[in-house]
Amino acid sequence: MRGGEMLEVPEIVEIAKAHAKTPAQVILRWETQQGICVIPKSTHIERIRENFDIFDFELTSAEMASIRALNENRGIGSNPYTMMLDFE
């Protein structure tokens, strides 16, 4: 699954609605709560602002597990040890 496709996954969309956030924010928050250092990429000022607006909510353990269950054990990008999600 490519990074942009993750923004349309029903489980992520529902979690986003529950927190009044975007799917991209939910994914960034999930990564942050996992202790992953996230460096989102965007050239659009509104998306850059949105990317920083992930620290006023926390995903529940059930939500974290729901997203974790989506894992397909596939990397995104040319380096198999890194995962790069492009939300543009």
Side-chain angles (χ1 to χ4, degrees), residues 55-75:
F55 299 102
D56 61 346
F57 75 107
E58 188 168 311
L59 300 173
T60 67
S61 57
E63 291 168 334
M64 295 288 289
S66 175
I67 295 170
R68 190 175 304 111
L70 299 172
N71 181 20
E72 295 178 349
N73 289 321
R74 294 188 306 172

Side-chain angles (χ1 to χ4, degrees), residues 2 7 10 13 15 19 22 24 32 37 39 44 48 57 60 63 66 69 83:
R2 295 194 44 85
L7 301 177
V13 171
I15 293 169
H19 291 279
T22 67
T32 301
C37 180
I39 304 172
H44 304 285
I48 293 169
F57 75 107
T60 67
E63 291 168 334
S66 175
M83 183 169 73

Side-chain angles (χ1 to χ4, degrees), residues 73-86:
N73 289 321
R74 294 188 306 172
I76 299 172
S78 59
N79 185 339
Y81 299 105
T82 62
M83 183 169 73
M84 298 178 67
L85 300 177
D86 183 358

Side-chain angles (χ1 to χ4, degrees), residues 18-53:
H19 291 279
K21 295 293 182 180
T22 67
Q25 288 172 308
V26 168
I27 293 167
L28 290 171
R29 182 63 200 182
W30 182 84
E31 293 170 329
T32 301
Q33 281 185 227
Q34 291 285 97
I36 298 169
C37 180
V38 182
I39 304 172
K41 173 191 161 248
S42 183
T43 57
H44 304 285
I45 192 68
E46 63 276 0
R47 288 194 184 120
I48 293 169
R49 286 185 181 124
E50 182 180 286
N51 290 340
F52 282 108
D53 190 23

